[in-house]
Amino acid sequence: MNRLDILQQVQTPSYVIDEQKLIDNLIILRGLEERTGCHVLLAQKAYSAFATYPLIRRYISGATASGLYEARLGHEEMQGENHIFAPAYMEHEFDEILEICDHIVFNSFAQWEKYKNKIKGKASCGIRINPEHSTQGNHALYDPCAPWSRFGVTIDNFREDSLDGIEGLHFHTLCEQDSEDLESTLDVIIEKFGKYLPQMKWINFGGGHHITRDGYDIEKLERCIKRMQNEFGLEVYIEPGEAIALNAGYLVSSLLEVVHNDINIGILDTSATCHMPDVLEVPYRPVIIDSGEIGEKTYPYRFGGNTCLTGDIIGDYSFDEPLKVGDKFVFTDMAIYSMVKNNTFNGIALPSIRLLKTDGTVQTIKEFGYEEFKERLS
């Protein structure tokens, strides 16, 4: 039975993680570690299906977190290196962060000065820098180097007098980008911050590197890594999120109803608002297997979710045959920024999480019910 036939048998709505595709990505990332000596970390903000962490930790060095709860998850389930960065840390959480994280990155020198006396060698600490080098065009929402960004210290605000105890520099400037953008960013970092690099132990390239995408120039990435190692003697960390689980997951959905208002509109048992928020936030149109663009196939449909939000529109598609209630659809690339961002708006149930094993069987990892909706409220 092929992959699509297997997915068509899954109860909906369900996220399905594709174990083989996850492994394919991890093999690429392990190769990067082996050839360069860099440390690859899972950015849990994109993917944190911890049932797969025992598999992931066989291939890469650890995880990175954006807050205490992600850090706890990485500490408990990944059991490798555990890094954290936050725009600001909350005092009542910092002691626990210090207990479970081996690398802590601060967003400002004020934050570093506030907490440095607590650290006393318990963790390796770094400062996030902002090279003010935008490589994302006009997408300011996803550009940490955009004007007035709250992320990282610019060279004009860099405090040479506050580096005692700082062992690394961190930058995160990319989003789904190739290594040529990393290369140009490193040029700027060396120009602006190069005088500080020899006194550091490590540099963290952050995330946004689409390493496992077809056509990504991994050789250029390796040259960037070796440049920082050879010229400055630095350990190099890199924090892919999407690249870990790129194209390694699906969202399987069923058609509940078709209504007509000049066009045919299919109501699904899944929702952009609740189950794939990036469709509305990015925005983008997710791919459905065996569908086409409007005009490409004979029968056009707009797909929307089963919520009260007028804008809960997934996208416009076309099909070879008229659709009927009960038909199933497989949305691709749904492992990343889906499970980590979903919600129960309108009391809509969360999709189950399942794992398509390499032997073709489907393992149910988690099913959700009313309690998950109720317990997050008061």
Side-chain angles (χ1 to χ4, degrees):
M1 187 179 294
N2 64 37
R3 184 177 273 108
L4 182 57
D5 289 338
I6 295 170
L7 294 170
Q8 288 284 346
Q9 304 302 314
V10 170
Q11 182 178 346
T12 66
S14 287
Y15 300 113
V16 182
I17 301 164
D18 191 320
E19 186 177 53
Q20 184 57 60
K21 292 193 174 185
L22 189 60
I23 291 171
D24 292 343
N25 290 339
L26 292 168
I27 289 172
I28 293 171
L29 296 169
R30 180 173 64 184
L32 178 66
E33 282 203 351
E34 291 173 344
R35 290 188 301 273
T36 66
C38 77
H39 304 248
V40 177
L41 308 172
L42 163 65
Q44 296 177 93
K45 64 183 180 182
Y47 177 83
S48 55
F50 61 89
T52 61
Y53 282 15
L55 170 65
I56 295 172
R57 67 177 179 238
R58 287 162 42 193
Y59 292 86
I60 64 173
S61 294
T64 185
S66 302
L68 173 59
Y69 289 171
E70 279 187 359
R72 284 182 59 178
L73 189 66
H75 174 71
E76 294 170 2
E77 303 294 340
M78 186 68 81
Q79 300 173 8
E81 294 190 49
N82 205 29
H83 296 224
I84 189 170
F85 162 80
Y89 294 102
M90 290 187 279
E91 289 188 52
H92 68 278
E93 293 183 347
F94 195 79
D95 286 343
E96 185 174 357
I97 287 171
L98 193 54
E99 288 178 8
I100 62 178
C101 293
D102 45 69
H103 285 67
I104 301 174
V105 176
F106 294 91
N107 192 51
S108 68
F109 282 100
Q111 281 277 292
W112 161 238
E113 293 289 345
K114 180 176 182 177
Y115 292 108
K116 69 178 184 179
N117 290 332
K118 281 193 166 201
I119 295 166
K120 298 178 181 177
K122 295 179 182 177
S124 182
C125 294
I127 289 288
R128 178 166 174 169
I129 56 174
N130 178 354
E132 301 173 275
H133 177 66
S134 295
T135 57
Q136 298 178 43
N138 297 320
H139 300 290
L141 183 64
Y142 303 99
D143 182 5
C145 293
W148 301 349
S149 171
R150 73 187 192 280
F151 290 125
V153 180
T154 63
I155 190 62
D156 289 342
N157 293 291
F158 199 80
R159 289 183 51 188
E160 189 172 354
D161 64 331
S162 190
L163 289 178
D164 186 28
I166 292 295
E167 296 184 337
L169 297 182
H170 175 288
F171 65 93
H172 174 38
T173 64
L174 307 183
C175 179
E176 298 183 350
Q177 286 168 271
D178 210 315
S179 49
E180 65 182 359
D181 294 314
L182 171 63
E183 184 178 53
S184 70
T185 299
L186 284 180
D187 288 339
V188 173
I189 287 173
I190 291 171
E191 178 186 348
K192 292 184 175 181
F193 298 92
K195 64 180 287 188
Y196 305 111
L197 293 175
Q199 61 188 287
M200 299 296 160
K201 293 183 178 180
W202 53 264
I203 188 167
N204 190 317
F205 289 2
H209 314 272
H210 243 195
I211 302 167
T212 54
R213 186 193 69 222
D214 289 343
Y216 180 89
D217 190 346
I218 198 164
E219 291 182 358
K220 183 171 287 185
L221 169 62
E222 292 178 10
R223 290 196 297 271
C224 289
I225 292 169
K226 291 176 181 177
R227 179 184 184 186
M228 304 310 286
Q229 293 168 333
N230 296 334
E231 291 186 20
F232 302 101
L234 297 170
E235 289 278 355
V236 177
Y237 295 91
I238 190 166
E239 301 177 342
E242 291 195 17
I244 299 284
L246 187 67
N247 297 315
Y250 314 94
L251 179 54
V252 187
S253 178
S254 294
L255 181 65
L256 301 178
E257 182 62 282
V258 177
V259 298
H260 189 81
N261 183 1
D262 289 334
I263 60 172
N264 286 321
I265 304 166
I267 310 298
L268 303 183
D269 63 357
T270 192
S271 160
T273 303
C274 296
H275 303 155
M276 37 181 145
D278 263 9
V279 167
L280 303 183
E281 292 177 13
V282 172
Y284 79 104
R285 171 188 172 277
V287 172
I288 297 175
I289 294 177
D290 288 344
S291 75
E293 301 281 350
I294 293 296
E296 181 179 347
K297 295 177 180 284
T298 306
Y299 297 94
Y301 291 83
R302 170 165 290 181
F303 278 168
N306 196 25
T307 70
C308 72
L309 180 68
T310 301
D312 188 1
I313 301 299
I314 299 166
D316 296 338
Y317 303 87
S318 64
F319 299 88
D320 290 322
E321 304 289 340
L323 304 183
K324 60 185 185 299
V325 170
D327 284 345
K328 291 185 178 179
F329 307 95
V330 179
F331 294 91
T332 64
D333 201 20
M334 282 291 158
I336 51 177
Y337 290 111
S338 55
M339 292 173 276
V340 295
K341 297 179 77 170
N342 64 19
N343 61 81
T344 57
F345 172 68
N346 268 192
I348 299 295
L350 298 173
S352 301
I353 300 174
R354 308 185 196 276
L355 180 66
L356 174 57
K357 305 282 286 183
T358 55
D359 63 5
T361 60
V362 176
Q363 173 189 345
T364 297
I365 296 174
K366 177 77 172 178
E367 293 181 325
F368 302 92
Y370 170 68
E371 291 305 317
E372 281 74 26
F373 165 70
K374 181 180 180 182
E375 291 301 319
R376 62 189 301 274
L377 302 171
S378 57

